[in-house]
Amino acid sequence: MHTPIALLAALSLASAPAQPATSRAQVPDRYKWKLADLFPSDAAWATARADLASRLPGFDRHRGHLGDSAKALADALSEMGALQNALDRVYVYASARADEDAREPGPRAMRAEAERLAVDVQAALSWVRPALLDLPADTVKRFLAEDPRLREWAFFLDDTLRWKPHTLPAGEERIVAKTGDLDGAGRDVHSVLLNADLPFPTVKLSTGTVRLDQAGYERSRTSPVAADREKVFHAYFGALKQYERTIGTALYAQVKAHLFERDVRRFDSSLAAALFRDNVPTGVYERLVADVNANLPTLHRYLKLRQRMLGLPKLRYEDLYVPLVKAVDRRYDVDQAVALTLDAVKPLGDAYVSKLRAGFQGGWTDFLPVTGKRAGAYSTGVYGVHPYQLLNFNGQWTDVSTLAHEAGHSMHTVLAFEKQPYATSSYATFVAEVASTLNENLLFRRAIRQAKDDGERLALLGNRLESLRTTLFRQTMFAEFELAIHQLAEKGEALTGEKMSALYLGLVRKYYGHDLGVCQVADLYGAEWTYIQHFFHYDFYVYQYATSLVASTAIARAIREDEAQGRTGARDRYLAMLAAGGSRYPVDLLREAGVDMTTPAPFAAAMEEMNATMDEMERILKRSPGAAGGRAAPAKPAAKPRR
């Protein structure tokens, strides 16, 4: 029987991770994902890609026959699902190979081929929805009762009817599908530029010379030395600023694609087009932005507390990532992070822990940063195989939290795959981030319970506040920026990199209280939008980080309250939501799990938790003035001595 490492013991270990590898060959196999579970080789992938391409013309034999019988409809939908699942395998493998090293031309070409094939698949299937809408509703209902294979497609069929006002005739749908090859142009330019071609600077810090690619920047911005942080920020964003025009052109290309979608699908706005996919009211997005703006004083309270704890005469944007408590600025290796995550998610039950442990041991995760590897982190999956997680683990507490976050996504995928057929296995992004942020919440709660002293408690509480800052406030700031640039384009204004930087700078200064003297934001940091990958990969995605954190905070609280009473109702409802996959709309799934996102109550509860966290930190600082590692400034200026 597995005995998890005690959290306190893991926190107390100070072993630093090895220096980032310069080549993938230097990384031990146990820290790499197992793409062989998809295809044993690139050659096998190429064979599968060619086979899938050759199967597409044959699907056209179903055209005009969906209404012939229940069997005919079931045969067509089953084959459609098989083609889509085959594409998932081809696409995830190629994308993962390209992410391993963006400099390698072979994998980049594989991803490009997979993207073209995805467009071809979409085009080959594009006639299905219009054809279904031509069938009488009574006929579809009768077919559902006649052939059991159609039961897994019931939600798809209902959702197809919902799309009727935004669905075109079959010929036009095919044309729209073919434009998908153009949709990712800006994304691809941005990805290659930032991950392969941009000449990131090298700076000399007090600890040595560092190359400031994204992983190097995120690692170095936590330096306790103010001069180092200033060098890091100025060098990194200075490098991005030089390519502001090019990156702006790439993002404008993405916005244009979203406007095309809005127009051709007959939506009132790009926002409405994006949120319609998951049946989320636009009011949820708009209220989030309004609620966050109304609660900026709560963010400013935290920023002032951060300034006090760091003992800084003024708080700058460069100071937002340095650990609040110097004594607990510890490092973790991968195995420690895995043990911490497994220990943290125990409230979700033995089965959950066992499946996640098996995944960590079974090649789900690509852990370590190497030169050329895609920056950031994500989790994806292929039905019938397993999830794949990309990380860039640097050994900081935030990396442990990121591991728990991505593990939440992966377990959502596993449970949905286990309980759902392919047709309803893919869940909406609106609930996806609930699973990830709930795991972060569990990690924090387990750590705070086992903290050995006030210094450690302060560090953990500070990390929780940082999570709330970066997820509730920062991601909503991103969402407000994304909405603003789309609204400008919808008014006919051309977008340039310079215009986007000016807009972004205004938002950063508003959120962080620049004009109120809360946090100083230099002009240069208006270019920060250039490295936010979600702007280029998705449309109106980032707001869901904030709404999901609000939802997961409420669910985690209910699980804790149940656990204290020996009950499992909240946990069981939550796991049922994960296992439901995409079988229902996300707002409905969350309501069934106990959270109604159409009301202001969940956000208000999240703000209560943030203020309660700061209250607890204030109490600790009052009873243990030295708990901040000797860096905390007094709450009020000391009186001048008499002479």
Side-chain angles (χ1 to χ4, degrees):
M1 181 177 178
H2 176 77
T3 303
I5 298 174
L7 182 61
L8 179 57
L11 277 171
S12 299
L13 293 172
S15 59
Q19 290 295 317
T22 56
S23 74
R24 190 166 181 81
Q26 296 174 311
V27 177
D29 286 344
R30 68 194 184 102
Y31 296 137
K32 298 176 184 176
W33 50 27
K34 290 175 63 176
L35 296 183
D37 292 345
L38 288 170
F39 297 106
S41 65
D42 291 355
W45 171 87
T47 299
R49 178 189 58 78
D51 176 68
L52 176 56
S54 70
R55 291 160 57 189
L56 295 182
F59 185 74
D60 210 49
R61 71 184 183 281
H62 298 290
R63 190 194 294 262
H65 298 289
L66 297 187
D68 288 358
S69 66
K71 180 181 182 303
L73 180 58
D75 286 346
L77 294 182
S78 296
E79 184 174 348
M80 181 178 74
L83 292 172
Q84 291 171 328
N85 195 11
L87 174 64
D88 293 341
R89 282 179 175 256
V90 168
Y91 190 92
V92 168
Y93 182 91
S95 182
R97 288 281 289 114
D99 288 344
E100 289 176 349
D101 192 341
R103 302 167 302 171
E104 291 294 323
R108 285 206 316 273
M110 290 170 62
R111 179 162 60 191
E113 291 171 3
E115 289 171 348
R116 285 197 297 271
L117 181 59
V119 171
D120 291 341
V121 170
Q122 188 175 359
L125 306 179
S126 62
W127 60 265
V128 173
R129 281 184 182 269
L132 287 171
L133 292 174
D134 286 340
L135 297 178
D138 289 344
T139 299
V140 174
K141 186 184 238 183
R142 175 166 53 83
F143 285 174
L144 281 167
E146 291 176 2
D147 195 321
R149 291 181 299 161
L150 287 174
R151 291 173 191 162
E152 71 176 89
W153 296 96
F155 183 79
F156 167 79
L157 292 169
D158 286 342
D159 193 57
T160 297
L161 292 176
R162 187 176 67 92
W163 275 90
K164 186 168 186 176
H166 307 288
T167 301
L168 307 174
E172 295 177 28
E173 283 289 343
R174 182 175 179 82
I175 294 172
V176 172
K178 281 292 188 181
T179 66
D181 208 18
L182 308 176
D183 186 22
R187 175 199 64 213
D188 293 343
V189 169
H190 181 260
S191 179
V192 172
L193 179 61
L194 262 69
N195 292 311
D197 289 347
L198 197 148
F200 285 109
T202 298
V203 295
K204 187 174 182 180
L205 305 178
S206 60
T207 53
T209 300
V210 178
R211 180 178 183 269
L212 294 179
D213 54 12
Q214 184 169 333
Y217 158 69
E218 292 179 356
R219 186 169 57 250
S220 302
R221 68 187 179 184
T222 64
S223 170
V225 180
D228 284 352
R229 298 196 296 273
E230 186 169 359
K231 282 184 182 179
V232 167
F233 270 70
H234 277 264
Y236 184 70
F237 289 111
L240 291 172
K241 181 75 172 176
Q242 294 180 45
Y243 292 86
E244 176 185 61
R245 291 185 295 272
T246 299
I247 300 173
T249 301
L251 184 52
Y252 190 23
Q254 293 303 104
V255 172
K256 287 178 179 177
H258 303 158
L259 264 61
F260 173 80
E261 176 82 4
R262 175 205 65 174
D263 293 341
V264 77
R265 296 285 178 204
R266 301 184 291 268
F267 285 100
D268 293 334
S269 66
S270 300
L271 177 65
L275 270 58
F276 185 85
R277 299 166 201 156
D278 294 335
N279 202 22
V280 176
T282 57
V284 172
Y285 192 108
E286 292 159 349
R287 191 180 63 243
L288 171 69
V289 173
D291 285 345
V292 166
N293 273 269
N295 283 274
L296 289 179
T298 299
L299 172 62
H300 297 167
R301 179 191 174 190
Y302 163 58
L303 296 174
K304 291 173 183 176
L305 178 60
R306 165 171 278 275
Q307 178 185 352
R308 175 190 167 194
M309 291 184 65
L310 294 176
L312 297 172
K314 63 181 177 181
L315 187 70
R316 306 169 306 162
Y317 205 55
E318 299 96 313
D319 302 321
L320 295 179
Y321 298 97
V322 61
L324 283 174
V325 181
K326 185 176 182 180
V328 194
D329 183 17
R330 297 198 176 102
R331 306 299 245 188
Y332 311 87
D333 62 29
V334 168
D335 296 327
Q336 291 167 345
V338 167
L340 288 169
T341 299
L342 291 172
D343 196 39
V345 299
K346 284 167 64 177
L348 298 181
D350 293 341
Y352 186 102
V353 174
S354 178
K355 292 177 194 297
L356 181 56
R357 182 186 299 115
F360 284 141
Q361 297 170 351
W364 286 7
T365 310
D366 205 76
F367 284 98
L368 300 177
V370 296
T371 303
K373 181 178 176 181
R374 172 180 163 162
Y378 64 73
S379 173
T380 187
V382 176
Y383 191 80
V385 188
H386 58 68
Y388 284 93
Q389 295 179 175
L390 179 137
L391 299 176
N392 280 276
F393 190 87
N394 279 313
Q396 298 171 343
W397 176 257
T398 54
D399 296 305
V400 181
S401 186
T402 298
L403 174 62
H405 178 107
E406 299 303 338
H409 285 312
S410 295
M411 285 302 298
H412 194 172
T413 297
V414 166
L415 294 176
F417 283 0
E418 286 182 351
K419 298 297 183 181
Q420 298 296 321
Y422 178 78
T424 53
S425 63
S426 181
Y427 45 84
T429 53
F430 193 78
V431 292
E433 298 301 338
V434 174
S436 56
T437 54
L438 185 133
N439 273 18
E440 290 186 69
N441 190 304
L442 294 177
L443 179 68
F444 162 71
R445 293 293 171 182
R446 182 54 58 92
I448 202 71
R449 284 199 302 270
Q450 299 189 9
K452 66 180 184 296
D453 55 35
D454 279 345
E456 193 165 290
R457 289 186 191 91
L458 275 179
L460 292 166
L461 290 165
N463 276 307
R464 179 59 178 166
L465 285 177
E466 268 299 282
S467 177
L468 291 166
R469 175 185 76 84
T470 57
T471 306
L472 271 184
F473 289 95
R474 181 173 163 84
Q475 296 295 337
T476 303
M477 181 182 74
F478 292 165
E480 189 170 350
F481 171 76
E482 192 171 11
L483 180 60
I485 61 175
H486 281 82
Q487 288 176 337
L488 287 174
E490 287 170 348
K491 293 176 183 176
E493 292 192 31
L495 298 178
T496 64
E498 294 88 343
K499 183 180 291 186
M500 292 187 217
S501 291
L503 174 61
Y504 188 88
L505 180 63
L507 287 172
V508 177
R509 286 180 165 171
K510 177 182 70 169
Y511 271 69
Y512 286 89
H514 175 86
D515 294 337
L516 300 174
V518 177
C519 180
Q520 181 179 319
V521 182
D523 291 350
L524 179 61
Y525 305 150
E528 186 180 42
W529 63 270
T530 60
Y531 103 108
I532 308 301
Q533 297 194 34
H534 285 77
F535 293 153
F536 299 84
H537 286 257
Y538 311 100
D539 54 334
F540 299 101
Y541 184 103
V542 292
Y543 87 99
Q544 295 165 114
Y545 285 114
T547 55
S548 293
L549 180 62
V550 167
S552 67
T553 298
I555 293 171
R557 178 184 294 180
I559 290 174
R560 288 197 306 274
E561 291 171 351
D562 270 9
E563 189 178 28
Q565 298 296 322
R567 300 190 301 258
T568 63
R571 182 194 76 185
D572 295 342
R573 288 192 298 272
Y574 167 68
L575 294 177
M577 182 195 82
L578 301 186
S583 60
R584 292 185 291 288
Y585 293 118
V587 171
D588 297 331
L589 286 171
L590 283 174
R591 189 179 293 113
E592 292 167 11
V595 183
D596 189 349
M597 294 302 295
T598 64
T599 72
F603 183 85
M607 287 297 94
E608 288 177 11
E609 175 164 325
M610 187 168 184
N611 278 294
T613 301
M614 287 186 279
D615 291 342
E616 177 62 20
M617 294 181 75
E618 294 281 7
R619 285 191 291 270
I620 292 174
L621 289 170
K622 185 175 181 179
R623 71 172 180 257
S624 303
R631 294 190 294 178
K636 296 180 181 179
K640 293 183 179 180
R642 293 183 180 179
R643 296 188 182 277

